[in-house]
Amino acid sequence: MPRPIRATISAGALAHNLLVAKAYAKGARLWAVVKANAYGHGVERAARALDAADGFAVLDFQEAVRLRAAGVSKPILMLEGFFKPVDLPLLLEHDLTPVIHNAEQVEMLRLAPLAGEIDVYLKVNSGMNRLGFGAESLRPAYNALRMHPQVRSVTLMTHFADADGAGGVQGQLDWFNALAKGFEAPRSLANSAALIRFPEARGDWVRPGIMLYGCSPFAACTAESLNLRPAMTLSAEIIATQRLHAGERIGYGFSYEAVGEMAVGVVACGYADGYPRHAPSGTPVLVNGRRTRTVGRVSMDMICVDITGIPGAGVGSAVTLWGEGLSADEVAASAGTLSYELLCALAPRVPVAEAA
Ligand SMILES: *Cc1c(COP(=O)(O)O)cnc(C)c1O
């Protein structure tokens, strides 16, 4: 028998969350963002469950080629475009839409006569200052692309830095709209947070990611309240138990000390499985469906949980680390991170099962 840990991916939850996103999109077309192996869910599996999307957004050629090999025929957006001239023939071979975000890419494209036509996205830096063209350099880049005989269409795109935060999108949105007025091009702006929170930022193509996986883009708002269902459940079993007396300690660094008699379950999941090592004692966890807490440090292959008073808890008991019944957002918040990081960090050694 394999070690008792697995991730279960719910195709039904993915499909449901896509419908929620589509309702917010109100007719705008939708890229399902499946970068980072679909936030840990598996790019092929996610594409199958999300097949009602209008296209898929990925990071690199590896993921794009995996999607094509899996039979995906819809448009594929490459969020960082191409990196080297040798990448260019792949765009045509696999019919991919690159994001062009720097002058070097424009030049590579200019120097490489393509054997057929491609669509491109042109990224505008509206203030995040990570990727994209600013107010002065946008026009020359746009013109160069429009004049390229093999570029079929150019869509303007930008990304918000604080769509989930106090700053919101208004500053970037106003700036982008003022600039984009001078261009006859479709627009793509919104990630999950902007899609939910700022209907005026929808544009022609929206780009939700995290909400499709059933997590909330907002710290102050649960996924459940947004009608999102967790797509990934990470579960394991208790493989050993201990009884502690007051004053006895547990785990590396002896970081947790029992204040009284307590029962502890040792769970077959550690940071080498993707559980966040920085999750402190007190991080929520379910044992036999009952909510309890971790105690002591997360180690490579194990965590310890308080099972005092949980009926029937012992070796073989079911443990939910996150997912159905316990939001990854909540576990992430306890560990000082985001559900994005937890989902993406699911380790390759964890077997994945698919559920309806
Ligand atoms: C990752 C990403 C998204 C999706 O963001 P979420 O917050 O997961 O919805 C959208 N656009 C770009 C450019 C991205 O890199």
Side-chain angles (χ1 to χ4, degrees):
M1 280 299 282
R3 180 167 160 263
I5 179 170
R6 80 177 135 154
T8 307
I9 308 295
S10 164
L14 289 166
H16 164 86
N17 297 333
L18 178 63
L19 287 180
V20 174
K22 283 192 140 187
Y24 280 107
K26 290 261 196 305
R29 281 183 287 175
L30 187 150
W31 295 109
V33 179
V34 295
K35 63 189 176 189
N37 197 27
Y39 294 44
H41 294 65
V43 80
E44 294 88 354
R45 190 180 294 114
R48 230 178 297 128
L50 299 169
D51 71 348
D54 298 296
F56 297 96
V58 300
L59 191 68
D60 58 20
F61 285 98
Q62 257 180 326
E63 287 176 333
V65 170
R66 276 172 64 189
L67 284 177
R68 289 291 183 236
V72 168
S73 57
K74 293 199 168 148
I76 296 180
L77 181 66
M78 315 269 309
L79 288 167
E80 292 181 358
F82 50 89
F83 305 94
K84 297 277 159 36
V86 297
D87 296 336
L88 284 162
L90 289 174
L91 295 175
L92 265 186
E93 187 184 332
H94 300 288
D95 191 15
L96 309 175
T97 303
V99 170
I100 311 278
H101 58 81
N102 67 29
E104 289 75 8
Q105 289 173 314
V106 176
E107 188 60 8
M108 281 188 245
L109 207 52
R110 194 181 68 77
L111 293 174
L114 293 167
E117 295 193 325
I118 58 166
D119 300 305
V120 305
Y121 268 45
L122 181 57
K123 190 157 193 180
V124 181
N125 173 16
S126 57
M128 192 167 180
N129 290 318
R130 204 175 53 173
L131 300 180
F133 295 89
E136 285 84 50
S137 54
L138 183 63
R139 177 57 73 182
Y142 180 83
N143 289 347
L145 292 171
R146 291 305 337 217
M147 282 180 326
H148 194 295
Q150 276 82 46
V151 171
R152 190 165 37 208
S153 72
V154 181
T155 299
L156 289 185
M157 153 189 190
T158 198
H159 194 47
F160 296 120
D162 202 17
D164 59 317
V169 302
Q170 206 57 53
Q172 282 185 270
L173 185 62
D174 291 346
W175 186 94
F176 177 82
N177 282 338
L179 184 70
K181 246 195 216 122
F183 296 81
E184 265 205 49
R187 300 169 192 192
S188 174
L189 302 94
N191 59 2
S192 300
L195 175 60
I196 294 170
R197 198 171 158 210
F198 301 103
E200 69 276 23
R202 278 195 294 262
D204 301 290
W205 281 87
V206 297
R207 307 187 307 267
I210 192 71
M211 70 184 295
L212 302 178
Y213 306 102
C215 289
S216 171
F218 309 111
C221 180
T222 66
E224 200 176 9
S225 74
L226 296 167
N227 186 27
L228 300 171
R229 288 170 41 195
M232 177 196 293
T233 297
L234 178 61
S235 49
E237 290 179 13
I238 291 177
I239 57 165
T241 58
Q242 300 286 339
R243 288 210 79 83
L244 299 188
H245 304 287
E248 289 185 313
R249 294 175 296 175
I250 190 161
Y252 284 117
F254 288 139
S255 76
Y256 182 83
E257 183 176 317
V259 290
E261 277 286 309
M262 73 181 293
V264 168
V266 181
V267 180
C269 177
Y271 62 77
D273 300 297
Y275 196 85
R277 201 187 77 86
H278 291 104
S281 290
T283 298
V285 55
L286 304 182
V287 175
N288 284 347
R290 294 259 299 240
R291 195 182 162 97
T292 180
R293 61 189 179 120
T294 64
V295 289
R297 266 191 212 155
V298 173
S299 43
M300 184 184 286
D301 309 313
M302 288 172 259
I303 57 175
C304 298
V305 300
D306 184 356
I307 57 170
T308 312
I310 297 182
V315 170
S317 289
V319 178
T320 300
L321 289 316
W322 63 69
E324 201 67 61
L326 176 63
S327 162
D329 294 314
E330 204 185 330
V331 177
S334 175
T337 183
L338 299 171
S339 53
Y340 293 78
E341 193 180 6
L342 264 48
L343 302 180
C344 293
L346 182 75
R349 80 178 194 184
V350 177
V352 178
E354 202 163 316

